Amino acid sequence: MYALATSALALAMAGCAQPISGADTGAPADIVEQSQAIMISSPKAFSEAVKAAAPGTDIVLADGVWLDFDAVVDAEGTAEKPITVRAQTPGKVVLSGQSSLRLAGSHIIVSGLVFRDGYTPRAEVISFRRDSDNLAFNSRVTNTVIENYSNPDRAQRDIWVVMYGKNNVFDHNHLSGKLNSGPTMAVRLNTEESQENDHVIRNNYFGPRPVFGSNGGETLRIGTSHYSLSRSGTLVENNYFDRCSGEVEIISNKSGGNTFRGNTFFQSRGTLTLRHGNDTLVENNLFDGDGAPYTGGVRVINARQTIRNNYFKNLTGERFSGALVVMNGVPDSPINRYHQVDGALIEGNSFEAVRRIELAEGSDAERTAVPVNSIFRDNIVVGEADASPFRIQDDLSGLVFEGNVATAQPPGPIAYGFQVVPSSVATDMLRETPDVGISRDETGVSWYPKAPVTSPFDGGARIEVAAGPDALSSALANASAGDTLVLAPGDYEESRLVNLRVPVTIEAADPSNPPVLTFERPNFILLSANGSLRLKGLEVSGVNSPDSSGNSFISTTSMGGAGNHTVELHDMTFSQFDVNKGFSVISAAKGTFYDRIEITASTFSDISGTVIKLDTETDDYGIYNAEYVVIEDSTFDRVGGSVAAVYRGGRDESTFGPHLWVRDSRFTDIGQNSAPLFLAHGVQNLELTGNQISDARPAKLIITTGNPVVDISGNSIAGPEGGSVLNTVDMR
């Protein structure tokens, strides 16, 4: 038992704090248990307890929701008697609204908390400092959850966890669902007290980080370019990165002397990027793309980087997201650009079913410094379908190859360093490699569920809806995530706007007798938060819409929180969207984002505006409104604008999209207002294949950055515009 520091504190805490048994900690077994604990049930009592805390103090937060809780722990414990702050029951202390946690001092342990249903009022949710002068040392945050705790304004930048000081540990935590700008977690080296820090980031579950659609979506960043020549010494070990796909850098290493060991990267787009800093060790990690798009491994830049004994499998990434990417540098590079690869050691790695290994990647008029003094040895390489995955962009005389095994002959300049063996031999060799990585169940917390892999449209109830005025909007107002609304034949005259915050399917009960939907507001559906929509077998008419410009059947808003949305239209009919100019079917508000818009087997006629309008991000910061726009087996007649206008400005290289894929569809009388068939400004992947085009101006591709992938094969064209499918303007 320990005594409170002052009798005044005991009086201040009367009625809201009481001793409890130290045995019922509910914390990981290796947390030091105290002899006595104080139960706290108010922020004021918490502050008083922290002020009086001495080595061995155990502060227990009562179960419940702590709203707008600014928790500051500035205290001094010891290694033998740390100061602990913990939940009464792990997972049942929820910090919501405008809450945050700051640590300062030394030997502090925090555990068992959950942050959700809000967002931080500060730049950080959990910070290992109170302010710039008071940092945390030898402290630990464990067994804690931050989920969907995103600022509703996607452009507002914050970081969920930031480590300062020295010798701190972040372990067995769960971070999932960050949507707004800024890394999920970062290590800062912005003062001498935070350099040579030897932090440990271990056994955490980094759950899905959806595509951000701009730079600023890293899951973990260690350092910044300004301090990149300083040593951090951070150990990142045995963490699980699950679908962490915010941008091209899953992890952005921007400091020296760090170790990445025993981690698993599953279906995560991009790479562990050694962006700045030297002397990094990457070993015993598993990079399993599971065939998902743009999944990659390690991108190598700078000096004395070691990549060894890692397993790379089923990775589809190319260019900056290849299974292994060895970059070209900039001669005499500024600190924030690309330093030359010098002294890299790449050995003992296994590559199974990987699409690309990129060598001297990024070679251009600026990046002319080829890799030097480096070696690639004792690796096993199996490409997709046993094809060679190597792509060479520049001189590789400074990268030596020896003792490697491959199933396909590598390109001539590096073939000397490989033995080509049958696939069966390589497979046997791969199966004999030691286990690497970590399982999902060995990370995070045991009492909080990890993100499911199922479709957001699954799992709900099937609800039958009878035709009638406002019948659909009423049903949507009561719908839960994953529900399917089944519409009986008849007319659905909707006078109300619906703010849809959950994924819902709406389908016809009888596809041969489709329900007819009309709406009286400028929009019928506004998607916000987690709102997504799947429509099947309906007829939608704009005949009752207001006589004003800029109407749109489906649009977005950040007023209810800006999540990533999906819209699927199958076997749909849209007509009479021409009551005034600029009428769209799907549009996006600035600062909102669609993961995917997919249209199949649908018909659109008499649309006065752009059918799919995704061109609000005109600030040219590399931001855009949709990752994938897919149109297949559909028909478009008499459209005033473009069928789709997709805009991504700027020259940033941190994203993979947008993608615009249009296949096996028919287009007649498009661009009546002098618009191109499609406007693809900054699109990185454009496919126009197998389409029939009549009376339409060519699609327009404006290249702003990168090397877009373009396929315009198999189209037939008729009309006064002649045989051109695509006009290209290169602004690089």
Side-chain angles (χ1 to χ4, degrees), residues 525-528 554-558 565 587-590 592-594:
I525 298 285
L526 285 180
L527 300 174
S528 67
I554 300 169
S555 193
T556 54
T557 177
S558 61
H565 312 298
S587 63
K590 186 176 176 59
T592 62
F593 192 77
Y594 292 94

Side-chain angles (χ1 to χ4, degrees), residues 284-288 309-313 315 349-352 430-431 433-434 436:
N284 301 331
N285 302 284
L286 171 62
F287 297 85
D288 182 2
N309 300 335
N310 303 283
Y311 204 114
F312 304 87
K313 63 182 293 190
L315 300 171
N349 301 287
S350 300
F351 299 88
E352 179 182 3
L430 289 171
R431 297 300 171 256
T433 58
V436 295

Side-chain angles (χ1 to χ4, degrees), residues 470-506:
D470 293 326
L472 179 54
S473 56
S474 297
L476 285 169
N478 296 305
S480 299
D483 283 355
T484 297
L485 305 182
V486 183
L487 305 191
D491 293 331
Y492 293 77
E493 299 174 346
E494 302 294 331
S495 65
R496 296 183 295 198
L497 171 68
V498 176
N499 187 335
L500 186 61
R501 299 168 55 89
V502 295
V504 172
T505 298
I506 305 172

Side-chain angles (χ1 to χ4, degrees), residues 1-2 4 13 16-22 35-40 58 60:
M1 306 288 285
Y2 74 90
L4 294 177
M13 294 169 56
C16 59
Q18 58 183 0
I20 65 172
S21 168
S35 57
Q36 177 178 305
I38 299 292
M39 179 75 78
I40 299 296
D58 185 17
V60 180

Side-chain angles (χ1 to χ4, degrees), residues 41-381:
S41 58
S42 75
K44 180 179 179 181
F46 176 80
S47 297
E48 294 295 333
V50 170
K51 287 179 184 177
T57 299
D58 185 17
I59 300 171
V60 180
L61 300 181
D63 290 349
V65 176
W66 293 65
L67 182 65
D68 301 337
F69 183 26
D70 180 19
V72 180
V73 187
D74 189 346
E76 297 291 338
T78 66
E80 295 76 20
K81 293 186 176 182
I83 293 168
T84 60
V85 175
R86 58 184 173 89
Q88 178 186 359
T89 306
K92 293 189 177 181
V93 172
V94 177
L95 281 69
S96 68
Q98 307 283 285
S99 295
S100 61
L101 170 66
R102 289 176 282 162
L103 310 180
S106 63
H107 298 289
I108 300 164
I109 300 174
V110 177
S111 71
L113 310 180
V114 176
F115 289 85
R116 67 174 183 233
D117 302 324
Y119 59 94
T120 177
R122 303 179 176 277
E124 297 151 6
V125 180
I126 297 177
S127 179
F128 282 75
R129 71 174 187 179
R130 190 186 76 191
D131 51 44
S132 59
D133 297 320
N134 295 274
L135 313 182
F137 300 88
N138 302 295
S139 294
R140 178 184 183 195
V141 173
T142 186
N143 211 35
T144 286
V145 171
I146 308 177
E147 184 163 67
N148 301 328
Y149 206 63
S150 299
N151 193 302
D153 183 348
R154 293 171 63 90
Q156 289 295 317
R157 183 179 178 85
D158 59 44
I159 307 176
W160 281 4
V161 180
V162 184
M163 301 183 82
Y164 300 89
K166 285 183 169 66
N167 302 310
N168 295 312
V169 178
F170 187 79
D171 71 290
H172 294 89
N173 300 293
H174 175 124
L175 307 179
S176 183
K178 192 171 195 293
L179 295 171
N180 63 308
S181 178
T184 305
M185 182 175 181
V187 175
R188 295 296 307 274
L189 283 72
N190 55 337
T191 64
E192 185 176 348
E193 292 80 8
S194 293
Q195 297 165 14
E196 301 273 353
N197 56 66
D198 295 320
H199 294 319
V200 175
I201 301 170
R202 176 183 288 143
N203 286 94
N204 301 289
Y205 172 70
F206 291 95
R209 175 90 199 247
V211 175
F212 180 55
S214 174
N215 188 15
E218 308 100 322
T219 294
L220 174 62
R221 190 191 70 209
I222 302 179
T224 59
S225 60
H226 186 78
Y227 297 97
S228 59
L229 297 182
S230 300
R231 182 184 181 277
S232 179
T234 297
L235 172 62
V236 181
E237 181 177 54
N238 297 339
N239 302 282
Y240 195 94
F241 294 86
D242 184 4
R243 292 162 283 167
C244 294
S245 301
E247 59 149 274
V248 71
E249 298 180 7
I250 307 166
I251 296 178
S252 185
N253 183 86
K254 294 186 174 181
S255 54
N258 300 314
T259 297
F260 301 90
R261 175 189 299 139
N263 305 286
T264 293
F265 298 80
F266 179 73
Q267 285 191 4
S268 294
R269 291 164 49 130
T271 61
L272 192 175
T273 302
L274 310 183
R275 184 64 183 86
H276 298 301
N278 306 316
D279 303 296
T280 310
L281 174 60
V282 180
E283 67 176 0
N284 301 331
N285 302 284
L286 171 62
F287 297 85
D288 182 2
D290 195 39
Y294 298 110
T295 47
V298 178
R299 185 154 63 111
V300 184
I301 311 160
N302 309 298
R304 300 179 301 280
Q305 316 287 35
T306 299
I307 298 89
R308 69 185 180 204
N309 300 335
N310 303 283
Y311 204 114
F312 304 87
K313 63 182 293 190
N314 300 321
L315 300 171
T316 65
E318 303 181 66
R319 298 194 65 243
F320 282 17
S321 67
L324 176 74
V325 184
V326 181
M327 293 289 295
N328 260 22
V330 177
D332 301 316
S333 176
I335 198 168
N336 66 336
R337 288 301 291 151
Y338 284 83
H339 287 245
Q340 185 176 30
V341 172
D342 188 350
L345 174 60
I346 303 166
E347 66 175 357
N349 301 287
S350 300
F351 299 88
E352 179 182 3
V354 300
R355 181 167 298 169
R356 284 286 181 265
I357 294 175
E358 307 278 7
L359 304 176
E361 172 59 36
S363 177
D364 58 19
E366 180 197 25
R367 290 180 290 225
T368 60
V370 298
V372 295
N373 305 315
S374 298
I375 189 165
F376 184 100
R377 70 185 179 201
D378 300 332
N379 301 286
I380 305 169
V381 180

